[in-house]
Amino acid sequence: MTEVVEVRFKGNRKEYFSWPSAEPLALHDPVIVEVERGQDFGRVSALGPVAAKKCGAGCSGCSLAAPGPPVSPEGPATLHRVVRRATAADSAQADQLHAEEDDARRRVMDQVKRHALLMKVSDAEWQWDRKKLTVYFTAEQRVDFRALVRDLASAFRTRIELRQIGARDEAKRLDGVGRCGRQYCCSSWLPELRPVSLALAKDQHLSLNPSQISGGCGRLLCCLRYEHDFYVQTRRRFPKEGKTLRTRVGAERVLAVDIFRETVTLRTDDGDTRVVSLETLKTEVADA
């Protein structure tokens, strides 16, 4: 049976390929793969059933990777294939190309400035066989870069692809260190970029100061989602803030709840305030 292989390239870009050989591949093996109009260099990041499941589900969470076609039980006949394992010379050639990409990006930036285009060039990536140069950029609006592509094709003497990406995808591609002191989640382990709204911060009673809840991409932190379900489920056990309850003291208004200490702060109409445990409050309400 033909095996499905997930291969990662520069900037966390990933694609899926078939491996028809009986000789098994291993994780992180360097490989030469078949791509549109040529060959590229990457490393194996998933194999077998894991890669087949990810391929069949597509890459809806990543705007940099093309969705993989559904995988049938007979095998992924429509996938491009892994041509062979990469040799030491292939790896050296890939390293040389990566070393030249910074210079390519600067040359592209000079052309963008000359054409007076409102776009920010994030990265440049050579295809292993030098048949294509992909330029990643961000922009607030649509950009007419047809003249720019013609000039770049003439300067680099290869096929040019300009790909517009969002701020989150740019951070995932370029990598960095977050405010927590660790590598960006989106660049290290987060499989897909899910939407993050301000409501997540409000539900957790976090500061709504953008500088406190934004990541390196300038958008809301991805980690705001991690504990959100816990906060929502836990708060269901507590009375809503502002609600008036009938307890042994009488009518009391809920001022605040502490889901970690399991306490509720109450205030009477006379202005007296007290803090009681959630269990005690439930008992008082039941007996009132």
mmCIF file of all heavy atoms in Angstrom, residues 222-267:
data_model
loop_
_atom_site.group_PDB
_atom_site.id
_atom_site.type_symbol
_atom_site.label_atom_id
_atom_site.label_comp_id
_atom_site.label_asym_id
_atom_site.label_seq_id
_atom_site.Cartn_x
_atom_site.Cartn_y
_atom_site.Cartn_z
ATOM 1 N N CYS A 222 -2.941 33.662 21.139
ATOM 2 C CA CYS A 222 -3.562 32.361 20.871
ATOM 3 C C CYS A 222 -3.887 31.630 22.174
ATOM 4 O O CYS A 222 -4.869 30.891 22.253
ATOM 5 C CB CYS A 222 -2.624 31.499 20.028
ATOM 6 S SG CYS A 222 -2.392 32.090 18.326
ATOM 7 N N CYS A 223 -3.071 31.845 23.202
ATOM 8 C CA CYS A 223 -3.241 31.112 24.457
ATOM 9 C C CYS A 223 -4.480 31.545 25.231
ATOM 10 O O CYS A 223 -4.825 30.919 26.237
ATOM 11 C CB CYS A 223 -1.999 31.238 25.333
ATOM 12 S SG CYS A 223 -1.529 32.938 25.719
ATOM 13 N N LEU A 224 -5.175 32.594 24.783
ATOM 14 C CA LEU A 224 -6.420 32.969 25.441
ATOM 15 C C LEU A 224 -7.466 31.857 25.301
ATOM 16 O O LEU A 224 -8.407 31.776 26.090
ATOM 17 C CB LEU A 224 -6.976 34.267 24.842
ATOM 18 C CG LEU A 224 -6.184 35.552 25.099
ATOM 19 C CD1 LEU A 224 -6.853 36.735 24.422
ATOM 20 C CD2 LEU A 224 -6.052 35.806 26.603
ATOM 21 N N ARG A 225 -7.280 30.995 24.317
ATOM 22 C CA ARG A 225 -8.232 29.912 24.102
ATOM 23 C C ARG A 225 -7.985 28.720 25.029
ATOM 24 O O ARG A 225 -8.902 27.920 25.263
ATOM 25 C CB ARG A 225 -8.169 29.399 22.660
ATOM 26 C CG ARG A 225 -8.543 30.415 21.593
ATOM 27 C CD ARG A 225 -8.812 29.699 20.288
ATOM 28 N NE ARG A 225 -9.988 28.865 20.417
ATOM 29 C CZ ARG A 225 -11.210 29.222 20.066
ATOM 30 N NH1 ARG A 225 -11.425 30.418 19.575
ATOM 31 N NH2 ARG A 225 -12.225 28.405 20.208
ATOM 32 N N TYR A 226 -6.758 28.575 25.532
ATOM 33 C CA TYR A 226 -6.371 27.329 26.192
ATOM 34 C C TYR A 226 -7.241 27.001 27.401
ATOM 35 O O TYR A 226 -7.639 25.859 27.590
ATOM 36 C CB TYR A 226 -4.904 27.386 26.620
ATOM 37 C CG TYR A 226 -3.920 27.553 25.483
ATOM 38 C CD1 TYR A 226 -2.593 27.873 25.725
ATOM 39 C CD2 TYR A 226 -4.320 27.415 24.160
ATOM 40 C CE1 TYR A 226 -1.686 28.035 24.687
ATOM 41 C CE2 TYR A 226 -3.424 27.577 23.124
ATOM 42 C CZ TYR A 226 -2.119 27.895 23.388
ATOM 43 O OH TYR A 226 -1.231 28.051 22.372
ATOM 44 N N GLU A 227 -7.516 27.984 28.247
ATOM 45 C CA GLU A 227 -8.256 27.739 29.482
ATOM 46 C C GLU A 227 -9.683 28.285 29.434
ATOM 47 O O GLU A 227 -10.384 28.275 30.446
ATOM 48 C CB GLU A 227 -7.508 28.361 30.669
ATOM 49 C CG GLU A 227 -6.125 27.775 30.897
ATOM 50 C CD GLU A 227 -5.382 28.468 32.027
ATOM 51 O OE1 GLU A 227 -5.876 29.514 32.494
ATOM 52 O OE2 GLU A 227 -4.320 27.971 32.430
ATOM 53 N N HIS A 228 -10.091 28.733 28.269
ATOM 54 C CA HIS A 228 -11.409 29.363 28.179
ATOM 55 C C HIS A 228 -12.534 28.414 28.559
ATOM 56 O O HIS A 228 -13.458 28.782 29.293
ATOM 57 C CB HIS A 228 -11.623 29.910 26.769
ATOM 58 C CG HIS A 228 -12.940 30.585 26.582
ATOM 59 N ND1 HIS A 228 -13.975 30.039 25.847
ATOM 60 C CD2 HIS A 228 -13.413 31.764 27.068
ATOM 61 C CE1 HIS A 228 -15.017 30.847 25.878
ATOM 62 N NE2 HIS A 228 -14.704 31.899 26.595
ATOM 63 N N ASP A 229 -12.484 27.189 28.077
ATOM 64 C CA ASP A 229 -13.540 26.215 28.391
ATOM 65 C C ASP A 229 -13.631 25.975 29.896
ATOM 66 O O ASP A 229 -14.732 25.823 30.443
ATOM 67 C CB ASP A 229 -13.282 24.896 27.671
ATOM 68 C CG ASP A 229 -13.487 25.018 26.164
ATOM 69 O OD1 ASP A 229 -14.135 25.991 25.740
ATOM 70 O OD2 ASP A 229 -12.999 24.149 25.424
ATOM 71 N N PHE A 230 -12.469 25.944 30.565
ATOM 72 C CA PHE A 230 -12.464 25.750 32.015
ATOM 73 C C PHE A 230 -13.188 26.889 32.710
ATOM 74 O O PHE A 230 -14.013 26.666 33.615
ATOM 75 C CB PHE A 230 -11.024 25.653 32.522
ATOM 76 C CG PHE A 230 -10.886 25.839 34.012
ATOM 77 C CD1 PHE A 230 -11.210 24.826 34.887
ATOM 78 C CD2 PHE A 230 -10.443 27.049 34.532
ATOM 79 C CE1 PHE A 230 -11.098 24.995 36.259
ATOM 80 C CE2 PHE A 230 -10.325 27.235 35.897
ATOM 81 C CZ PHE A 230 -10.653 26.205 36.763
ATOM 82 N N TYR A 231 -12.907 28.129 32.301
ATOM 83 C CA TYR A 231 -13.553 29.282 32.922
ATOM 84 C C TYR A 231 -15.061 29.249 32.694
ATOM 85 O O TYR A 231 -15.847 29.509 33.615
ATOM 86 C CB TYR A 231 -12.971 30.585 32.352
ATOM 87 C CG TYR A 231 -11.664 30.998 32.977
ATOM 88 C CD1 TYR A 231 -10.455 30.567 32.462
ATOM 89 C CD2 TYR A 231 -11.632 31.827 34.097
ATOM 90 C CE1 TYR A 231 -9.247 30.946 33.034
ATOM 91 C CE2 TYR A 231 -10.438 32.222 34.670
ATOM 92 C CZ TYR A 231 -9.250 31.767 34.136
ATOM 93 O OH TYR A 231 -8.059 32.142 34.705
ATOM 94 N N VAL A 232 -15.466 28.955 31.473
ATOM 95 C CA VAL A 232 -16.896 28.949 31.154
ATOM 96 C C VAL A 232 -17.630 27.876 31.952
ATOM 97 O O VAL A 232 -18.683 28.126 32.551
ATOM 98 C CB VAL A 232 -17.102 28.730 29.644
ATOM 99 C CG1 VAL A 232 -18.584 28.531 29.329
ATOM 100 C CG2 VAL A 232 -16.564 29.925 28.861
ATOM 101 N N GLN A 233 -17.065 26.667 31.988
ATOM 102 C CA GLN A 233 -17.723 25.568 32.696
ATOM 103 C C GLN A 233 -17.750 25.807 34.204
ATOM 104 O O GLN A 233 -18.743 25.513 34.879
ATOM 105 C CB GLN A 233 -17.015 24.257 32.378
ATOM 106 C CG GLN A 233 -17.149 23.832 30.926
ATOM 107 C CD GLN A 233 -16.281 22.639 30.579
ATOM 108 O OE1 GLN A 233 -15.713 21.983 31.464
ATOM 109 N NE2 GLN A 233 -16.172 22.330 29.295
ATOM 110 N N THR A 234 -16.657 26.353 34.745
ATOM 111 C CA THR A 234 -16.587 26.583 36.187
ATOM 112 C C THR A 234 -17.554 27.683 36.618
ATOM 113 O O THR A 234 -18.213 27.573 37.665
ATOM 114 C CB THR A 234 -15.152 26.952 36.607
ATOM 115 O OG1 THR A 234 -14.268 25.909 36.205
ATOM 116 C CG2 THR A 234 -15.061 27.128 38.117
ATOM 117 N N ARG A 235 -17.671 28.739 35.831
ATOM 118 C CA ARG A 235 -18.542 29.855 36.212
ATOM 119 C C ARG A 235 -20.023 29.458 36.223
ATOM 120 O O ARG A 235 -20.837 30.130 36.853
ATOM 121 C CB ARG A 235 -18.327 31.037 35.271
ATOM 122 C CG ARG A 235 -17.026 31.778 35.541
ATOM 123 C CD ARG A 235 -16.929 33.057 34.722
ATOM 124 N NE ARG A 235 -15.641 33.695 34.946
ATOM 125 C CZ ARG A 235 -15.366 34.459 35.991
ATOM 126 N NH1 ARG A 235 -16.292 34.671 36.903
ATOM 127 N NH2 ARG A 235 -14.173 35.004 36.130
ATOM 128 N N ARG A 236 -20.352 28.382 35.530
ATOM 129 C CA ARG A 236 -21.740 27.934 35.547
ATOM 130 C C ARG A 236 -22.172 27.474 36.938
ATOM 131 O O ARG A 236 -23.366 27.446 37.234
ATOM 132 C CB ARG A 236 -21.924 26.793 34.542
ATOM 133 C CG ARG A 236 -21.838 27.235 33.085
ATOM 134 C CD ARG A 236 -21.895 26.050 32.164
ATOM 135 N NE ARG A 236 -21.768 26.475 30.764
ATOM 136 C CZ ARG A 236 -21.564 25.652 29.750
ATOM 137 N NH1 ARG A 236 -21.478 24.340 29.975
ATOM 138 N NH2 ARG A 236 -21.467 26.107 28.524
ATOM 139 N N ARG A 237 -21.220 27.133 37.788
ATOM 140 C CA ARG A 237 -21.535 26.686 39.142
ATOM 141 C C ARG A 237 -21.782 27.861 40.077
ATOM 142 O O ARG A 237 -22.274 27.666 41.195
ATOM 143 C CB ARG A 237 -20.377 25.828 39.677
ATOM 144 C CG ARG A 237 -20.105 24.589 38.841
ATOM 145 C CD ARG A 237 -18.818 23.893 39.255
ATOM 146 N NE ARG A 237 -18.729 23.744 40.688
ATOM 147 C CZ ARG A 237 -17.682 24.111 41.434
ATOM 148 N NH1 ARG A 237 -16.634 24.675 40.857
ATOM 149 N NH2 ARG A 237 -17.684 23.927 42.729
ATOM 150 N N PHE A 238 -21.411 29.062 39.649
ATOM 151 C CA PHE A 238 -21.516 30.251 40.491
ATOM 152 C C PHE A 238 -22.693 31.119 40.052
ATOM 153 O O PHE A 238 -23.066 31.133 38.876
ATOM 154 C CB PHE A 238 -20.231 31.087 40.412
ATOM 155 C CG PHE A 238 -19.041 30.451 41.071
ATOM 156 C CD1 PHE A 238 -18.321 29.449 40.426
ATOM 157 C CD2 PHE A 238 -18.628 30.856 42.331
ATOM 158 C CE1 PHE A 238 -17.221 28.873 41.034
ATOM 159 C CE2 PHE A 238 -17.529 30.285 42.940
ATOM 160 C CZ PHE A 238 -16.834 29.291 42.292
ATOM 161 N N PRO A 239 -23.277 31.866 40.981
ATOM 162 C CA PRO A 239 -24.316 32.830 40.585
ATOM 163 C C PRO A 239 -23.685 33.965 39.779
ATOM 164 O O PRO A 239 -22.518 34.301 39.959
ATOM 165 C CB PRO A 239 -24.858 33.329 41.924
ATOM 166 C CG PRO A 239 -23.733 33.131 42.892
ATOM 167 C CD PRO A 239 -23.030 31.878 42.440
ATOM 168 N N LYS A 240 -24.459 34.549 38.880
ATOM 169 C CA LYS A 240 -23.942 35.636 38.054
ATOM 170 C C LYS A 240 -23.744 36.888 38.889
ATOM 171 O O LYS A 240 -24.522 37.177 39.802
ATOM 172 C CB LYS A 240 -24.906 35.925 36.908
ATOM 173 C CG LYS A 240 -24.980 34.812 35.877
ATOM 174 C CD LYS A 240 -25.863 35.213 34.710
ATOM 175 C CE LYS A 240 -25.892 34.130 33.658
ATOM 176 N NZ LYS A 240 -26.755 34.496 32.508
ATOM 177 N N GLU A 241 -22.684 37.615 38.567
ATOM 178 C CA GLU A 241 -22.406 38.862 39.266
ATOM 179 C C GLU A 241 -23.517 39.870 38.968
ATOM 180 O O GLU A 241 -23.948 40.020 37.828
ATOM 181 C CB GLU A 241 -21.043 39.407 38.837
ATOM 182 C CG GLU A 241 -19.892 38.502 39.269
ATOM 183 C CD GLU A 241 -18.574 38.907 38.639
ATOM 184 O OE1 GLU A 241 -18.615 39.629 37.631
ATOM 185 O OE2 GLU A 241 -17.526 38.485 39.138
ATOM 186 N N GLY A 242 -23.996 40.523 40.027
ATOM 187 C CA GLY A 242 -25.092 41.470 39.896
ATOM 188 C C GLY A 242 -26.433 40.873 40.252
ATOM 189 O O GLY A 242 -27.419 41.617 40.429
ATOM 190 N N LYS A 243 -26.492 39.557 40.370
ATOM 191 C CA LYS A 243 -27.767 38.908 40.710
ATOM 192 C C LYS A 243 -28.056 39.049 42.210
ATOM 193 O O LYS A 243 -27.152 38.991 43.041
ATOM 194 C CB LYS A 243 -27.699 37.430 40.330
ATOM 195 C CG LYS A 243 -28.996 36.669 40.563
ATOM 196 C CD LYS A 243 -28.871 35.225 40.109
ATOM 197 C CE LYS A 243 -30.172 34.475 40.308
ATOM 198 N NZ LYS A 243 -30.073 33.061 39.861
ATOM 199 N N THR A 244 -29.330 39.223 42.549
ATOM 200 C CA THR A 244 -29.738 39.332 43.948
ATOM 201 C C THR A 244 -30.243 37.980 44.440
ATOM 202 O O THR A 244 -31.093 37.350 43.784
ATOM 203 C CB THR A 244 -30.837 40.385 44.117
ATOM 204 O OG1 THR A 244 -30.339 41.660 43.679
ATOM 205 C CG2 THR A 244 -31.281 40.489 45.576
ATOM 206 N N LEU A 245 -29.702 37.530 45.592
ATOM 207 C CA LEU A 245 -30.062 36.230 46.155
ATOM 208 C C LEU A 245 -30.748 36.424 47.513
ATOM 209 O O LEU A 245 -30.482 37.396 48.221
ATOM 210 C CB LEU A 245 -28.807 35.363 46.321
ATOM 211 C CG LEU A 245 -27.962 35.098 45.069
ATOM 212 C CD1 LEU A 245 -26.715 34.327 45.457
ATOM 213 C CD2 LEU A 245 -28.758 34.355 44.014
ATOM 214 N N ARG A 246 -31.594 35.484 47.861
ATOM 215 C CA ARG A 246 -32.227 35.468 49.178
ATOM 216 C C ARG A 246 -31.476 34.466 50.052
ATOM 217 O O ARG A 246 -31.464 33.282 49.786
ATOM 218 C CB ARG A 246 -33.679 35.060 49.053
ATOM 219 C CG ARG A 246 -34.449 34.971 50.365
ATOM 220 C CD ARG A 246 -34.629 36.319 51.010
ATOM 221 N NE ARG A 246 -35.377 37.245 50.158
ATOM 222 C CZ ARG A 246 -35.718 38.480 50.540
ATOM 223 N NH1 ARG A 246 -35.351 38.934 51.739
ATOM 224 N NH2 ARG A 246 -36.385 39.267 49.715
ATOM 225 N N THR A 247 -30.758 34.954 51.090
ATOM 226 C CA THR A 247 -29.968 34.103 51.979
ATOM 227 C C THR A 247 -30.491 34.264 53.406
ATOM 228 O O THR A 247 -31.494 34.940 53.646
ATOM 229 C CB THR A 247 -28.476 34.498 51.917
ATOM 230 O OG1 THR A 247 -28.320 35.814 52.480
ATOM 231 C CG2 THR A 247 -27.963 34.498 50.485
ATOM 232 N N ARG A 248 -29.778 33.687 54.378
ATOM 233 C CA ARG A 248 -30.179 33.789 55.783
ATOM 234 C C ARG A 248 -30.113 35.226 56.274
ATOM 235 O O ARG A 248 -30.778 35.607 57.228
ATOM 236 C CB ARG A 248 -29.293 32.896 56.655
ATOM 237 C CG ARG A 248 -27.825 33.285 56.662
ATOM 238 C CD ARG A 248 -27.038 32.432 57.639
ATOM 239 N NE ARG A 248 -25.618 32.736 57.609
ATOM 240 C CZ ARG A 248 -25.061 33.773 58.215
ATOM 241 N NH1 ARG A 248 -25.814 34.613 58.906
ATOM 242 N NH2 ARG A 248 -23.755 33.969 58.140
ATOM 243 N N VAL A 249 -29.290 36.045 55.641
ATOM 244 C CA VAL A 249 -29.166 37.456 56.017
ATOM 245 C C VAL A 249 -30.312 38.273 55.424
ATOM 246 O O VAL A 249 -30.708 39.303 55.964
ATOM 247 C CB VAL A 249 -27.808 38.014 55.544
ATOM 248 C CG1 VAL A 249 -27.689 39.503 55.834
ATOM 249 C CG2 VAL A 249 -26.664 37.246 56.193
ATOM 250 N N GLY A 250 -30.838 37.797 54.304
ATOM 251 C CA GLY A 250 -31.873 38.532 53.584
ATOM 252 C C GLY A 250 -31.482 38.647 52.124
ATOM 253 O O GLY A 250 -30.802 37.780 51.567
ATOM 254 N N ALA A 251 -31.889 39.738 51.497
ATOM 255 C CA ALA A 251 -31.563 39.978 50.091
ATOM 256 C C ALA A 251 -30.112 40.471 50.001
ATOM 257 O O ALA A 251 -29.746 41.466 50.628
ATOM 258 C CB ALA A 251 -32.509 40.988 49.482
ATOM 259 N N GLU A 252 -29.328 39.770 49.220
ATOM 260 C CA GLU A 252 -27.917 40.151 49.035
ATOM 261 C C GLU A 252 -27.587 40.122 47.544
ATOM 262 O O GLU A 252 -28.048 39.245 46.808
ATOM 263 C CB GLU A 252 -26.986 39.212 49.799
ATOM 264 C CG GLU A 252 -27.082 39.323 51.313
ATOM 265 C CD GLU A 252 -26.051 38.450 52.009
ATOM 266 O OE1 GLU A 252 -26.243 37.204 51.985
ATOM 267 O OE2 GLU A 252 -25.080 38.978 52.571
ATOM 268 N N ARG A 253 -26.762 41.055 47.159
ATOM 269 C CA ARG A 253 -26.354 41.176 45.764
ATOM 270 C C ARG A 253 -24.969 40.575 45.576
ATOM 271 O O ARG A 253 -24.082 40.807 46.395
ATOM 272 C CB ARG A 253 -26.359 42.656 45.347
ATOM 273 C CG ARG A 253 -26.060 42.925 43.883
ATOM 274 C CD ARG A 253 -26.040 44.426 43.634
ATOM 275 N NE ARG A 253 -25.765 44.737 42.245
ATOM 276 C CZ ARG A 253 -26.691 44.816 41.299
ATOM 277 N NH1 ARG A 253 -27.966 44.619 41.617
ATOM 278 N NH2 ARG A 253 -26.366 45.117 40.064
ATOM 279 N N VAL A 254 -24.772 39.811 44.504
ATOM 280 C CA VAL A 254 -23.478 39.193 44.203
ATOM 281 C C VAL A 254 -22.548 40.252 43.614
ATOM 282 O O VAL A 254 -22.813 40.800 42.533
ATOM 283 C CB VAL A 254 -23.626 38.022 43.214
ATOM 284 C CG1 VAL A 254 -22.262 37.422 42.892
ATOM 285 C CG2 VAL A 254 -24.563 36.962 43.772
ATOM 286 N N LEU A 255 -21.482 40.533 44.340
ATOM 287 C CA LEU A 255 -20.505 41.529 43.866
ATOM 288 C C LEU A 255 -19.434 40.895 42.990
ATOM 289 O O LEU A 255 -19.064 41.439 41.951
ATOM 290 C CB LEU A 255 -19.832 42.219 45.053
ATOM 291 C CG LEU A 255 -20.644 43.219 45.853
ATOM 292 C CD1 LEU A 255 -19.778 43.855 46.922
ATOM 293 C CD2 LEU A 255 -21.220 44.294 44.934
ATOM 294 N N ALA A 256 -18.905 39.746 43.429
ATOM 295 C CA ALA A 256 -17.808 39.110 42.703
ATOM 296 C C ALA A 256 -17.762 37.636 43.066
ATOM 297 O O ALA A 256 -18.251 37.218 44.117
ATOM 298 C CB ALA A 256 -16.478 39.787 43.035
ATOM 299 N N VAL A 257 -17.160 36.862 42.176
ATOM 300 C CA VAL A 257 -16.946 35.438 42.436
ATOM 301 C C VAL A 257 -15.469 35.133 42.217
ATOM 302 O O VAL A 257 -14.818 35.744 41.366
ATOM 303 C CB VAL A 257 -17.816 34.551 41.524
ATOM 304 C CG1 VAL A 257 -19.300 34.808 41.769
ATOM 305 C CG2 VAL A 257 -17.474 34.755 40.053
ATOM 306 N N ASP A 258 -14.950 34.215 42.999
ATOM 307 C CA ASP A 258 -13.558 33.761 42.872
ATOM 308 C C ASP A 258 -13.597 32.270 42.595
ATOM 309 O O ASP A 258 -13.817 31.461 43.501
ATOM 310 C CB ASP A 258 -12.787 34.052 44.160
ATOM 311 C CG ASP A 258 -11.285 33.814 44.005
ATOM 312 O OD1 ASP A 258 -10.910 32.914 43.222
ATOM 313 O OD2 ASP A 258 -10.498 34.513 44.665
ATOM 314 N N ILE A 259 -13.399 31.904 41.327
ATOM 315 C CA ILE A 259 -13.548 30.494 40.950
ATOM 316 C C ILE A 259 -12.399 29.635 41.467
ATOM 317 O O ILE A 259 -12.529 28.414 41.541
ATOM 318 C CB ILE A 259 -13.664 30.345 39.415
ATOM 319 C CG1 ILE A 259 -12.381 30.818 38.724
ATOM 320 C CG2 ILE A 259 -14.876 31.105 38.899
ATOM 321 C CD1 ILE A 259 -12.384 30.586 37.230
ATOM 322 N N PHE A 260 -11.295 30.248 41.834
ATOM 323 C CA PHE A 260 -10.157 29.474 42.333
ATOM 324 C C PHE A 260 -10.276 29.202 43.833
ATOM 325 O O PHE A 260 -9.953 28.099 44.299
ATOM 326 C CB PHE A 260 -8.849 30.200 42.022
ATOM 327 C CG PHE A 260 -8.608 30.388 40.555
ATOM 328 C CD1 PHE A 260 -8.797 31.625 39.950
ATOM 329 C CD2 PHE A 260 -8.218 29.322 39.762
ATOM 330 C CE1 PHE A 260 -8.588 31.793 38.595
ATOM 331 C CE2 PHE A 260 -8.004 29.477 38.401
ATOM 332 C CZ PHE A 260 -8.200 30.716 37.818
ATOM 333 N N ARG A 261 -10.719 30.200 44.575
ATOM 334 C CA ARG A 261 -10.919 30.006 46.015
ATOM 335 C C ARG A 261 -12.320 29.476 46.329
ATOM 336 O O ARG A 261 -12.628 29.179 47.480
ATOM 337 C CB ARG A 261 -10.687 31.317 46.764
ATOM 338 C CG ARG A 261 -9.249 31.829 46.712
ATOM 339 C CD ARG A 261 -9.080 33.056 47.593
ATOM 340 N NE ARG A 261 -7.707 33.498 47.659
ATOM 341 C CZ ARG A 261 -7.143 34.336 46.787
ATOM 342 N NH1 ARG A 261 -7.868 34.820 45.781
ATOM 343 N NH2 ARG A 261 -5.880 34.686 46.902
ATOM 344 N N GLU A 262 -13.159 29.393 45.316
ATOM 345 C CA GLU A 262 -14.533 28.892 45.485
ATOM 346 C C GLU A 262 -15.306 29.766 46.477
ATOM 347 O O GLU A 262 -15.990 29.265 47.369
ATOM 348 C CB GLU A 262 -14.522 27.437 45.974
ATOM 349 C CG GLU A 262 -13.895 26.454 45.005
ATOM 350 C CD GLU A 262 -14.922 25.776 44.116
ATOM 351 O OE1 GLU A 262 -16.010 25.470 44.599
ATOM 352 O OE2 GLU A 262 -14.627 25.552 42.928
ATOM 353 N N THR A 263 -15.189 31.075 46.317
ATOM 354 C CA THR A 263 -15.879 32.005 47.215
ATOM 355 C C THR A 263 -16.721 32.997 46.424
ATOM 356 O O THR A 263 -16.469 33.235 45.230
ATOM 357 C CB THR A 263 -14.882 32.782 48.091
ATOM 358 O OG1 THR A 263 -13.987 33.539 47.254
ATOM 359 C CG2 THR A 263 -14.087 31.837 48.988
ATOM 360 N N VAL A 264 -17.705 33.593 47.124
ATOM 361 C CA VAL A 264 -18.591 34.587 46.519
ATOM 362 C C VAL A 264 -18.656 35.790 47.457
ATOM 363 O O VAL A 264 -18.816 35.635 48.678
ATOM 364 C CB VAL A 264 -20.012 34.019 46.316
ATOM 365 C CG1 VAL A 264 -20.919 35.072 45.684
ATOM 366 C CG2 VAL A 264 -19.970 32.762 45.465
ATOM 367 N N THR A 265 -18.519 36.983 46.919
ATOM 368 C CA THR A 265 -18.613 38.217 47.700
ATOM 369 C C THR A 265 -20.028 38.780 47.556
ATOM 370 O O THR A 265 -20.504 38.987 46.434
ATOM 371 C CB THR A 265 -17.587 39.250 47.212
ATOM 372 O OG1 THR A 265 -16.276 38.697 47.308
ATOM 373 C CG2 THR A 265 -17.652 40.509 48.060
ATOM 374 N N LEU A 266 -20.679 39.018 48.697
ATOM 375 C CA LEU A 266 -22.066 39.487 48.727
ATOM 376 C C LEU A 266 -22.178 40.837 49.432
ATOM 377 O O LEU A 266 -21.361 41.156 50.302
ATOM 378 C CB LEU A 266 -22.959 38.459 49.439
ATOM 379 C CG LEU A 266 -22.945 37.027 48.891
ATOM 380 C CD1 LEU A 266 -23.647 36.088 49.855
ATOM 381 C CD2 LEU A 266 -23.611 36.971 47.521
ATOM 382 N N ARG A 267 -23.216 41.610 49.090
ATOM 383 C CA ARG A 267 -23.470 42.895 49.760
ATOM 384 C C ARG A 267 -24.962 43.067 49.974
ATOM 385 O O ARG A 267 -25.767 42.835 49.058
ATOM 386 C CB ARG A 267 -22.926 44.049 48.939
ATOM 387 C CG ARG A 267 -23.077 45.406 49.657
ATOM 388 C CD ARG A 267 -22.342 46.506 48.931
ATOM 389 N NE ARG A 267 -22.914 46.745 47.604
ATOM 390 C CZ ARG A 267 -22.366 47.567 46.707
ATOM 391 N NH1 ARG A 267 -21.227 48.185 46.997
ATOM 392 N NH2 ARG A 267 -22.925 47.731 45.532
#
